[in-house]
Amino acid sequence: MSESLPRARVAELLHLASRKRVAVIGDAMLDVYLDGDVERISPEAPVPIVRVRERRHALGGAGNVAQNVTAVGARCELVAVAGDDPAGGRLRQMLAIAGGDASIAVAARCTTQKTRIVARAQQLVRIDEEDDSELSEPEILELVALTTAAVATADAVVLEDYNKGVLSPRVIAAALGTAARRGIPVVVDPKFRNFFAYGGSTVFKPNLRELEGALGAEVELSDPQALRLVLPRLGVRHLLLTLGEHGMVLVSDDADVVTIPSYAREIYDVVGAGDTVSAYLATMLAGGASITEAAMIANMAAGVEVGKLGAATVSPEEVLAFLA
């Protein structure tokens, strides 16, 4: 790992990235963690009783991508949607504390909130409160305007799709069109609903299950030519296929297929690892990294993130310490 990407080069790219600006467009959400103890089973039903000892809040989805961009030291503008509710207020407050510029459109819906109940470091259940229906016409027009303005001043773009409604075809087209005119890289973390709407993006980053579900066929990872055939169907320059504990595969039409092994030393919680990868990919590309360099550094950052509980940020100092 360190032989193919020297520590000095990683430090240089992290420094260059810290001077850049990244626009993050997508579905922001509020993560809630209820930590407690289980000592008995409920007499009402065969379920554990959790006595809550601590309540914690964290930024999820595109909000977590944004705070990881700022953790690198780069400037970030987030374009997202939240409701006019307590969860939306908390989300805005946390984004302000994280230090990014947030353009949050107010929608006539609840703010997406995921509550995880945890006992003895084990997640027992997750409760999702959300509305993933299509946004109204005025809300879409507002998002298109906010997206165009954010991308117009950025050095790189992240489109973070969780199928919650922000990344409609018109918002996607506005982001990709503005980025293309300015010649800046676009990193896409897709979901199934608009999977084939990101033609022209720089890096397309699904996991294996998402790619196979969209293609309707099993993907043969051992066949480089078969992997390259996916690129024209998606209309993208690079495919970065994430494989969980097995690392990543980087597919480009003009280079050898690159397998990047997992760098995780301890896997404690995989929540938020994909957000960290998106943030580091975009900031490294903005800083002048090659696609292979960006993917390797993003994979290092993910190796740090999975050693933490919940969606968490990863600093440049932690990446460099990880290399050491």
Side-chain angles (χ1 to χ4, degrees):
M1 175 177 63
S2 59
E3 293 177 356
S4 57
L5 193 55
R7 188 178 189 278
R9 177 59 175 165
V10 175
E12 177 189 17
L13 289 171
L14 288 168
H15 174 69
L16 292 171
S18 70
R19 300 180 175 185
K20 300 300 181 179
R21 186 180 185 91
V22 176
V24 177
I25 323 296
D27 300 302
M29 57 194 75
L30 182 66
D31 288 343
V32 182
Y33 293 86
L34 301 180
D35 297 319
D37 302 318
V38 174
E39 297 176 350
R40 60 194 179 101
I41 301 298
S42 171
E44 303 165 358
V47 295
I49 295 174
V50 180
R51 177 173 291 185
V52 176
R53 304 293 187 185
E54 181 184 10
R55 180 188 299 266
R56 297 180 292 108
H57 295 84
L59 293 169
N64 188 35
V65 176
Q67 69 175 352
N68 268 282
V69 168
T70 59
V72 176
R75 293 290 304 277
C76 180
E77 180 163 358
L78 169 67
V79 176
V81 161
D84 185 14
D85 53 14
R90 170 78 69 166
L91 181 71
R92 293 179 182 86
Q93 180 185 47
M94 293 182 68
L95 286 168
I97 293 172
D101 299 323
S103 299
I104 307 296
V106 179
R109 61 171 67 194
C110 67
T111 301
T112 300
Q113 179 171 289
K114 296 183 178 181
T115 301
R116 296 171 175 88
I117 300 177
V118 181
R120 297 182 182 179
Q122 295 295 318
Q123 186 179 146
L124 302 182
V125 67
R126 193 182 85 184
I127 302 165
D128 288 6
E129 301 168 81
E130 63 186 22
D131 180 353
D132 60 359
S133 59
E134 291 187 7
L135 294 168
S136 68
E137 181 69 13
E139 290 165 347
I140 291 174
L141 291 175
E142 182 181 4
L143 281 173
V144 167
L146 293 173
T147 294
T148 302
V151 177
T153 59
D155 299 299
V157 181
V158 177
L159 300 180
E160 191 72 14
D161 196 354
Y162 277 84
N163 276 353
K164 308 304 180 191
V166 170
L167 286 170
S168 66
R170 278 186 286 174
V171 173
I172 294 169
L176 291 176
T178 307
R181 287 190 293 272
R182 300 194 58 243
I184 59 175
V186 179
V187 174
V188 176
D189 192 349
K191 286 293 182 288
F192 185 75
R193 186 181 296 172
N194 293 306
F195 201 86
F196 294 99
Y198 295 98
S201 58
T202 309
V203 187
F204 195 73
K205 187 187 73 68
N207 60 38
L208 182 60
R209 178 180 57 81
E210 291 167 339
L211 183 63
E212 290 182 333
L215 296 178
E218 184 176 343
V219 176
E220 182 52 66
L221 296 176
S222 62
D223 185 348
Q225 188 56 38
L227 288 172
R228 286 196 184 92
L229 291 176
V230 176
L231 293 175
R233 185 167 179 185
L234 296 171
V236 300
R237 292 176 57 193
H238 307 281
L239 171 69
L240 184 62
L241 191 58
T242 59
L243 306 174
E245 68 273 17
H246 300 296
M248 305 176 179
V249 174
L250 176 62
V251 185
S252 306
D253 58 5
D254 58 351
D256 292 337
V257 173
V258 178
T259 300
I260 304 172
S262 173
Y263 296 152
R265 294 171 184 166
E266 179 181 3
I267 299 178
Y268 184 67
D269 188 348
V270 299
V271 172
D275 302 333
T276 300
V277 171
S278 296
Y280 268 80
L281 273 174
T283 52
M284 293 306 105
L285 290 173
S290 69
I291 181 58
T292 303
E293 290 173 328
M296 292 180 69
I297 294 174
N299 203 27
M300 294 174 201
V304 175
E305 200 279 341
V306 296
K308 302 181 179 185
L309 177 62
T313 59
V314 177
S315 69
E317 291 76 18
E318 288 177 303
V319 172
L320 292 172
F322 192 80
L323 268 174

